[in-house]
């Protein structure tokens, strides 16, 4: 493997490990802790293994009691190892045969292998330049718990797995369901050896091998290499040595093993997560949510109050001065709702009716509908997370909506330019009436006291004082009626502006308390799926 290829492979592996860690972090709080912890253990093992010797390939021999695993290990390793093995204190202790001592000690410490044998070169198989570590491990079906734990641990640590099966128990469910099937993604670093073929009639060897390959195919290991061997006769030992040497010399087993671990971890995350993307937050759904919340928050009531308040204020400012004082006995709808308060928005509260059961039901239904639409297409755990994010802010919505309405500028204290014009003209009309009445009063008083009464100017035969009174009254009434029509149109315009501002305030609350949390979860699912895809495929 060239230096450039090594660098590319390392970079690709870095990317996949980072993607797997990203997926793990994104899945926290959504996916089962047990699965996330297992992914974390994979990441920690990968980090530890990559920090140790990359020039050594660790090959573990696994097998059941009576499979001839240790004999085959000795046959592959050479007589020196066999001699050392004979002096082993107990078969529960893993034994290492090492070719290439330099740099192997930290790796063996990490593997927790104390029995180490620095093996002599085996012609055509391994020497100090090979960088090979063979491990003879306890039986995976041992009755001793510590032995089984050692095997389980080593299954997750070694670079290459050699499964030694015998003709009598090669189909044993314990090895296939407990070990081989879960490692279906590790076919590139797995060898299966049918040992003790010398115990079979020659004609039965191939059918048994074919049967074993069929079982492995059902385990998801159709591409794994299957060898036949006999430690007693030496049959197949050379082929097994060649297979192991080929893997060791390529220096790819470590990265292949880690890549397989990453793929398996990604598959396990996918299994608990499920496939699919959420529909996400759509503008139409946001509008529908805001509209429903606006109704639940009594926005229509406030809009009507804005129009009514404007019309009432218009009458007070532009009505006939003789009768306009009567309007002061009518309460201002906005003041009654505490929407003319000068208190800061964050402190002010309206006097709108508190949300009752119908309003709460409407709010809940709107939030639920919004969450369902946004989570459509998402797998189960993520759909629940998206809906949970929508519900999280639901309890705070009534208060937030009330505060938003209280802090909205409704234009209640703004005056209209036409009020001043109409008011001046109204008073002029009233003064005209008063002037006419005063004039006539003076004339009447003069006549009453038998004093000379001056001639009253006339216009088209009508006395000017009389015309002044008539003109003032007619003008006042006309302005009052016209003012009501203008006030009604202006009230509708002001109510329309208030509706837009209130709807915008409600939409802002809906965005903050419902849409944004939902969008965060939707984006999290998208990032999780992207990270998982990168981790799984590289």
């Amino acid at each position: 493997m060239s230096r450039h290829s090594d660098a590319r492979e390392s970079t690709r592996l870095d990317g996949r490990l980072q993607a797997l860690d990203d997926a793990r972090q994104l899945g926290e709080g959504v996916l089962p802790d047990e699965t996330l912890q297992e992914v974390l253990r994979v990441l920690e093992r990968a980090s530890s293994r990559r920090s140790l010797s990359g020039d050594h390939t660790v090959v573990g021999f696994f097998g059941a009691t009576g499979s001839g695993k240790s004999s085959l290990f000795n046959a592959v390793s050479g007589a020196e190892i066999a001699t050392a093995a004979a002096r082993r204190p107990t078969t529960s202790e893993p034994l290492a045969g090492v070719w290439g001592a330099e740099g192997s000690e930290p790796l063996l410490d990490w593997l927790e292998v104390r029995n180490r044998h620095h093996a002599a070169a085996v012609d055509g198989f391994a020497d100090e330049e090979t960088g090979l570590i063979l491990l003879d491990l306890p039986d995976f079906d041992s009755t001793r718990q510590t032995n089984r734990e050692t095997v389980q641990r080593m299954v997750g640590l070694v670079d290459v797995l050699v499964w030694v099966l015998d003709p009598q128990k090669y189909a044993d469910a314990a090895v296939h369901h407990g070990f081989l099937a879960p490692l279906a993604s590790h076919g590139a670093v797995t060898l299966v050896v049918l040992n003790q073929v010398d115990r079979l009639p020659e004609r039965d060897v191939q059918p048994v091998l074919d049967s074993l390959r069929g079982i492995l195919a059902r385990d998801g290991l159709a591409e794994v290499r299957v060898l036949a061997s006999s430690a007693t006769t030496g049959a197949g030992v050379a082929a097994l040595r060649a297979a192991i040497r080929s893997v060791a010399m390529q220096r790819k087993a470590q990265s292949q093993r880690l890549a397989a671990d990453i793929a398996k971890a990604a598959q396990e995350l996918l299994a608990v997560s499920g496939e699919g993307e959420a529909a996400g937050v759509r503008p139409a759904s946001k509008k529908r949510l805001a509209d429903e919340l606006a109704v639940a928050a009594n926005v229509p009531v406030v809009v009507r109050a804005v129009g009514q308040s404007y019309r009432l204020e218009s009458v007070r400012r532009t009505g006939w001065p003789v009768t306009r004082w009567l309007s002061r006995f009518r309460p201002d709808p906005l003041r009654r709702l505490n929407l003319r308060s000068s208190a800061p928005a964050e402190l002010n509260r309206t006097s709108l009716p508190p949300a009752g059961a119908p309003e709460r039901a409407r709010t809940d239904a709107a939030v639920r509908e919004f969450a369902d639409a946004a989570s459509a297409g998402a797998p189960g755990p993520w759909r629940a997370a998206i809906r949970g994010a929508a519900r999280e802010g639901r309890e705070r919505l009534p208060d937030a909506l009330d505060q938003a309405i209280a802090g909205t500028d409704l234009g209640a204290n703004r005056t209209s330019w036409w009020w001043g014009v109409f008011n001046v003209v109204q008073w002029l009309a009233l003064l005209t009436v008063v002037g006419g009445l005063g004039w006539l009063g003076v004339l009447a008083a003069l006549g009453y006291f038998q004093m000379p009464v001056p001639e009253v100017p006339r216009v088209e035969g009508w006395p000017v004082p009389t015309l002044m009174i008539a003109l003032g009254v007619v003008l006042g009434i006309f302005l009052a009626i016209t003012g009501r029509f203008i006030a009604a149109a202006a009230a509708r315009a002001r109510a329309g502006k208030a509706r837009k501002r209130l709807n915008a305030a409600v939409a802002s609350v809906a965005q903050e308390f419902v849409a944004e949390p939902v969008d965060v979860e939707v984006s999290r699912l998208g990032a999780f799926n992207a990270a998982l895809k990168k981790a799984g495929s590289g």
Side-chain angles (χ1 to χ4, degrees):
M1 198 174 183
S2 71
R3 188 176 303 153
H4 294 299
S5 297
D6 283 341
R8 283 197 303 270
E9 182 65 29
S10 178
T11 301
R12 187 157 51 244
L13 202 58
D14 285 339
R16 293 184 65 183
L17 285 167
Q18 183 59 55
L20 181 63
D21 192 36
D22 290 344
R24 178 191 66 81
Q25 294 183 51
L26 289 165
E28 288 181 351
V30 178
L31 304 181
D33 289 340
E34 183 180 350
T35 303
L36 297 176
Q37 285 300 315
E38 181 55 37
V39 172
L40 181 59
R41 284 191 285 272
V42 169
L43 292 166
E44 289 173 344
R45 286 200 303 267
S47 176
S48 298
R49 181 63 184 94
R50 297 184 80 198
S51 68
L52 299 167
S53 174
D55 295 327
H56 286 82
T57 301
V58 181
V59 180
F61 277 64
F62 301 87
T65 304
S67 64
K69 167 181 54 65
S70 295
S71 298
L72 184 61
F73 171 84
N74 290 335
V76 171
S77 302
E80 292 82 359
I81 300 292
T83 302
R87 297 197 299 268
R88 288 166 69 185
T90 170
T91 56
S92 66
E93 290 286 336
L95 168 69
V98 182
W99 287 266
E102 185 178 353
S104 66
E105 296 299 321
L107 178 55
L108 289 167
D109 290 341
W110 176 66
L111 292 168
E112 298 181 15
V113 176
R114 294 192 298 270
N115 294 304
R116 308 167 185 181
H117 182 81
H118 295 160
V122 177
D123 189 35
F125 175 52
D127 54 27
E128 285 297 305
E129 300 299 322
T130 307
L132 177 64
I133 299 175
L134 295 188
L135 297 180
D136 183 20
L137 301 167
D139 302 331
F140 63 74
D141 60 350
S142 172
T143 58
R144 296 182 61 179
Q145 180 66 24
T146 54
N147 288 9
R148 295 196 300 273
E149 290 175 354
T150 297
V151 172
Q152 288 283 2
R153 183 172 58 84
M154 287 298 184
V155 164
L157 298 180
V158 301
D159 300 327
V160 179
L161 303 100
V162 177
W163 293 96
V164 182
L165 309 177
D166 65 86
Q168 284 73 39
K169 295 188 291 186
Y170 71 89
D172 188 1
V175 65
H176 288 280
H177 295 165
F179 293 97
L180 290 172
L183 293 170
S185 59
H186 293 63
V189 291
T190 300
L191 291 172
V192 176
V193 181
L194 182 66
N195 195 27
Q196 300 176 345
V197 292
D198 58 293
R199 297 184 180 183
L200 291 172
E202 188 174 345
R203 66 178 180 277
D204 292 340
V205 173
Q206 192 58 48
V208 172
L209 285 172
D210 292 341
S211 174
L212 175 56
R213 289 190 179 97
I215 296 172
L216 291 171
R218 289 195 293 273
D219 291 337
L221 292 163
E223 303 301 321
V224 74
R225 186 172 179 183
V226 180
L227 301 172
S229 70
S230 170
T232 303
T233 66
V237 172
L240 180 55
R241 280 179 174 174
I244 293 173
R245 175 178 173 79
S246 174
V247 171
M249 295 304 293
Q250 289 178 19
R251 299 286 193 271
K252 293 170 63 178
Q254 181 198 136
S255 59
Q256 287 177 331
R257 169 61 203 253
L258 295 180
D261 286 345
I262 295 168
K264 182 174 181 288
Q267 190 62 36
E268 289 174 351
L269 280 179
L270 182 61
V272 297
S273 167
E275 297 186 60
E277 292 283 355
V281 176
R282 304 289 175 81
S285 296
K286 288 170 66 173
K287 185 178 185 306
R288 168 79 173 162
L289 173 66
D291 290 345
E292 290 297 306
L293 292 182
V295 174
N298 291 311
V299 165
V301 173
V302 177
V303 171
R304 283 196 299 273
V306 168
Q308 292 169 356
S309 176
Y310 183 86
R311 287 194 293 272
L312 180 60
E313 190 66 20
S314 296
V315 170
R316 291 173 179 172
R317 300 290 189 95
T318 66
W320 195 26
V322 176
T323 59
R324 69 170 65 172
W325 61 274
L326 295 172
S327 64
R328 300 196 178 277
F329 292 100
R330 295 173 57 189
D332 186 336
L334 284 181
R335 198 173 299 281
R336 190 172 64 246
L337 296 176
N338 197 32
L339 289 173
R340 282 186 180 273
S341 175
S342 58
E346 61 273 12
L347 300 177
N348 194 21
R349 291 295 183 272
T350 73
S351 295
L352 287 164
E359 289 77 20
R360 288 196 299 270
R362 189 173 196 129
T363 298
D364 290 348
V367 171
R368 184 169 58 253
E369 180 184 347
F370 177 81
D372 287 346
S375 64
W382 293 95
R383 190 163 58 249
I386 292 170
R387 290 172 175 172
R391 290 193 299 268
E392 197 170 302
R394 185 176 56 187
E395 295 301 321
R396 294 180 292 164
L397 273 177
D399 187 65
L401 289 170
D402 188 80
Q403 187 173 330
I405 292 172
T408 300
D409 180 10
L410 302 176
N413 297 318
R414 293 195 186 98
T415 59
S416 294
W417 64 268
W418 66 274
W419 288 354
V421 174
F422 270 55
N423 189 47
V424 169
V425 176
Q426 282 281 28
W427 281 105
L428 289 176
L430 181 59
L431 289 175
T432 301
V433 171
V434 171
L437 289 172
W439 194 343
L440 290 178
V442 170
L443 293 177
L446 291 175
Y448 179 79
F449 289 107
Q450 301 297 311
M451 297 178 66
V453 178
E455 185 69 22
V456 177
R458 294 177 177 272
V459 176
E460 298 291 333
W462 291 89
V464 170
T466 304
L467 288 176
M468 289 174 62
I469 295 171
L471 179 63
V473 171
V474 170
L475 181 59
I477 295 173
F478 173 78
L479 288 176
I481 296 174
T482 303
R484 287 182 179 273
F485 282 106
I486 296 176
R492 286 193 295 271
R494 179 162 289 189
K497 290 179 180 179
R499 180 184 292 105
K500 288 181 180 179
R501 290 176 180 151
L502 288 167
N503 286 340
V506 170
S508 179
V509 170
Q511 175 70 19
E512 179 182 353
F513 288 88
V514 181
E516 282 183 6
V518 164
D519 203 31
V520 167
E521 292 302 315
V522 170
S523 299
R524 194 166 99 162
L525 171 59
F528 173 85
N529 284 336
L532 204 58
K533 182 178 180 182
K534 182 177 180 181
S537 64

